[in-house]
């Protein structure tokens, strides 16, 4: 048992992956997607991303136990269409995540040249929370969410927090985006990227975040 634990806390071997990077802004293009290490926050620690493909990748992150988001390693699919021109848009994911630390497994969806940001929180661990104020509990896109609305000073942010964590599933992304439009929070926006990854606030001692699969269909 001790040997298994030692391996689980070690960074993944770069040689086992098609691509690996410890650079803050490490980026890899694969299969029409972009995979990014994306260590963007202040006071961050170290982080290595290792990918077999856009759909299968691992992050070993050792960020200090302090406040503030340190990173958002993710894979992204560009859509670049108006909402009304999208016939369907769904995404599926499967992850293995640590039971401690402070982070969210989340989609980050951008629209109108990043004027709008939609976050779909699929799992949540530790003292992390959304921007803005609670609006309503809603069942849309195949899940039930607590919906928050706010701003980070640069763009409007709509946060959908799944009422219970799910390490795998499928989301009808278009249904969520149309729900936002129906409430009058935005219009016929142009969708940019659909990103999926881990918004990490702390992972002291080193923790592994593994994307077993991720894909976006339609658009």
């Amino acid at each position: 048992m001790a040997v298994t634990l030692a391996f689980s806390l070690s960074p993944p071997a770069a040689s086992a992956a098609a691509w690996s990077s410890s650079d803050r802004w490490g980026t890899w293009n694969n299969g029409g997607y972009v995979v990014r290490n994306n260590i963007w926050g202040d006071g961050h620690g170290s982080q290595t991303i290792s990918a077999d493909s856009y759909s299968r990748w691992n992050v070993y992150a050792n960020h200090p136990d302090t406040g503030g988001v340190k990173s958002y390693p993710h894979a992204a699919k560009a859509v670049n269409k108006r909402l009304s021109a999208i016939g369907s848009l769904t995404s599926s994911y499967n992850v293995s995540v640590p039971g401690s630390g402070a982070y969210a497994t989340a989609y980050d969806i951008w629209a109108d040249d990043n004027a709008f940001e939609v976050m779909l929180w699929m799992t949540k661990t530790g003292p992390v929370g959304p921007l803005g104020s609670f609006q309503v509990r809603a069942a849309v896109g195949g899940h039930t969410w607590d919906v928050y609305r706010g701003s980070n000073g640069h763009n409007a942010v709509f946060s959908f927090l799944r009422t219970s964590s799910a390490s795998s599933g499928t989301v009808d992304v278009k249904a969520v985006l149309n729900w936002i439009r129906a409430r009058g929070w935005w219009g016929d926006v142009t969708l940019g990227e659909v990103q999926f990854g881990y918004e990490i606030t702390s992972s002291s001692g080193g923790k592994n975040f593994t994307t077993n699969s991720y894909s976006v269909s339609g658009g």
Side-chain angles (χ1 to χ4, degrees), residues 24-25 37-42 44 68-73 199:
R24 288 186 68 183
W25 311 114
N37 204 24
N38 196 32
I39 308 170
W40 64 266
D42 293 333
H44 63 83
V69 177
K70 309 301 190 303
S71 67
Y72 179 62
E199 189 174 71

Side-chain angles (χ1 to χ4, degrees), residues 9 61-68 70 97-105 123-129 199-209:
L9 294 179
N62 188 358
H63 296 298
D65 187 15
T66 54
K70 309 301 190 303
V97 290
S100 60
Y103 67 90
T105 302
T123 77
K124 172 183 174 294
T125 297
V128 293
E199 189 174 71
I200 305 171
T201 294
S202 70
S203 55
S204 183
K207 300 187 187 302
N208 278 309
F209 301 80

Side-chain angles (χ1 to χ4, degrees), residues 15-88:
S15 60
W19 172 76
S20 183
S21 178
S22 299
D23 184 83
R24 288 186 68 183
W25 311 114
T27 300
W28 185 48
N29 292 278
N30 175 258
Y33 293 71
V34 183
V35 184
R36 303 183 178 104
N37 204 24
N38 196 32
I39 308 170
W40 64 266
D42 293 333
H44 63 83
S46 61
Q47 179 176 295
T48 299
I49 188 168
S50 302
D52 295 323
S53 69
Y54 68 84
S55 182
R56 291 179 58 83
W57 46 278
N58 181 86
V59 174
Y60 178 80
N62 188 358
H63 296 298
D65 187 15
T66 54
V69 177
K70 309 301 190 303
S71 67
Y72 179 62
H74 64 269
K77 177 71 170 179
V79 178
N80 298 326
K81 287 185 180 179
R82 284 206 173 273
L83 183 54
S84 60
I86 297 172
S88 66

Side-chain angles (χ1 to χ4, degrees), residues 184-206:
W185 292 353
W186 66 14
D188 190 15
V189 295
T190 297
L191 189 63
E193 286 190 342
V194 177
Q195 304 173 350
F196 176 80
Y198 310 96
E199 189 174 71
I200 305 171
T201 294
S202 70
S203 55
S204 183

